[in-house]
Amino acid sequence: MEVIVEKNYEEMSKIAAELIAELIKNKPNAVIGLATGSTPLGTYNELIRMHKEEGLDFSKVITFNLDEYVGLHPCHSRSYHYFMKENLFKHINIKPENTHVPDGIAPDILKFCEQYENDIKNAGSIDIQLLGIGSNGHIAFNEPGSSLGSTTRVKTLDSKTIEDNARFFDNRDEVPKYAITMGIGTIMGAKKLILLASGKNKASAIATTVEGPITAMVPATIVQLHPKAIIIIDKLAATKLTREFPAVLGTLQGKGRARDN
Ligand code: GLP
């Protein structure tokens, strides 16, 4: 696991976008796993800039999103379909048929989940999976207690997640109670993971993810087992790393990027 501490959110976003752009340049038909939430927005903005100013070509890129709320129509302004369209897809030259976001209104959700897993396999598996992290340590909507080998399925949202995500809705009661999410096993099947976190309220989750024991109660800790996991965080999200970490101290003292393997 590689930990990269950047001085702020902008730098964190830039390095994540650079890694994705490098993949696309080397493999134009790359399969990229995408995340929602506020954390990846800077990365998406940088990818849009690269497309517009540097001609980064998404015409053959295939994407699979991590999750979607059950019951929200793709046109609903809080659905992850809508989020992806507004914040990335409509600004780049990706083909709509190459983008995949779980269908929160699928008539047969179990069948849909099986199909989503098959679609990922048939695409040749995910080259880079982008991840955020919940303040409770969830990845995608794999809440504490999720099976570490799980595949795409429906999960009940944790009360902490509902509380955290209520800011995107008019009130807490409007937050859906269920979501379709790639499983932890699905995520671990990606060839490379990039986990992003920014800000103080992610510091505890990041400390446990990087330094804690692997446990289903903090699903993100599973990334410790991935052979190619890169954790890119800003210095606020790094504040609770307790291990002796001179590189991080270097960054905190303003000496630039810190890396540790
Ligand atoms: C949601 C998503 C996660 C995301 C998390 C953190 O719960 N399902 O994939 O990582 O929010 O969101 P934010 O980046 O807004 O903190």
Side-chain angles (χ1 to χ4, degrees):
M1 187 169 65
E2 184 177 9
V3 179
I4 301 177
V5 182
E6 291 288 342
K7 64 177 189 291
N8 56 33
Y9 176 79
E10 287 69 32
E11 295 302 314
M12 176 200 82
S13 303
K14 263 191 208 161
I15 186 166
E18 277 164 22
L19 289 169
I20 293 171
E22 189 182 279
L23 167 71
I24 296 173
K25 285 176 200 160
N26 289 330
K27 185 180 177 189
N29 61 346
V31 183
I32 303 177
L34 298 175
T36 49
S38 44
T39 310
L41 283 174
T43 305
Y44 296 157
N45 286 339
E46 181 60 11
L47 288 171
I48 294 166
R49 189 200 63 74
M50 287 173 173
H51 168 66
K52 293 196 166 146
E53 293 175 13
E54 297 164 15
L56 183 65
D57 181 16
F58 290 83
S59 63
K60 295 195 179 93
V61 168
I62 297 170
T63 64
F64 285 92
N65 262 81
L66 287 168
D67 45 18
E68 176 61 288
Y69 292 112
V70 169
L72 292 197
H73 190 277
C75 295
H76 190 292
S77 64
R78 300 305 176 207
S79 74
Y80 286 167
H81 276 84
Y82 189 87
F83 176 100
M84 289 311 302
K85 192 171 138 216
E86 290 302 308
N87 292 303
L88 182 65
F89 297 154
K90 79 174 189 189
H91 305 285
I92 57 175
N93 67 331
I94 196 159
K95 292 190 176 124
E97 63 269 30
N98 285 349
T99 67
H100 305 80
V101 181
D103 181 0
I105 53 164
D108 185 340
I109 290 194
L110 287 182
K111 201 166 157 198
F112 175 83
C113 292
E114 243 174 67
Q115 187 59 48
Y116 204 67
E117 285 288 319
N118 286 336
D119 290 347
I120 293 171
K121 279 183 199 123
N122 293 338
S125 88
I126 291 170
D127 291 301
I128 285 183
Q129 176 66 59
L130 193 59
L131 295 168
I133 184 170
S135 61
N136 64 358
H138 77 208
I139 44 175
F141 272 129
N142 292 286
E143 299 288 23
S146 290
S147 156
L148 295 178
S150 51
T151 54
T152 302
R153 69 212 186 291
V154 172
K155 280 298 288 179
T156 306
L157 302 189
D158 197 71
S159 57
K160 182 77 181 95
T161 301
I162 291 178
E163 190 184 310
D164 285 352
N165 291 2
R167 70 189 194 278
F168 298 112
F169 293 81
D170 288 340
N171 59 64
R172 198 183 193 276
D173 294 338
E174 276 191 22
V175 185
K177 308 287 177 286
Y178 305 97
I180 298 179
T181 180
M182 275 189 205
I184 297 177
T186 323
I187 292 168
M188 289 294 283
K191 291 170 197 157
K192 188 183 267 189
L193 302 180
I194 298 178
L195 188 150
L196 303 179
S198 154
K200 260 193 177 159
N201 79 322
K202 299 293 172 71
S204 297
I206 284 298
T208 315
T209 298
V210 174
E211 300 177 355
I214 296 167
T215 167
M217 292 313 287
V218 184
T221 55
I222 194 72
V223 305
Q224 294 176 24
L225 285 181
H226 196 286
K228 286 190 179 160
I230 309 178
I231 312 245
I232 311 173
I233 54 180
D234 65 7
K235 60 184 182 184
L236 288 176
T239 45
K240 289 199 175 161
L241 290 172
T242 59
R243 191 164 58 96
E244 206 41 52
F245 199 173
V248 174
L249 291 175
T251 286
L252 294 174
Q253 287 157 9
K255 291 184 190 148
R257 182 173 296 166
R259 297 179 91 106
D260 189 36
N261 274 302

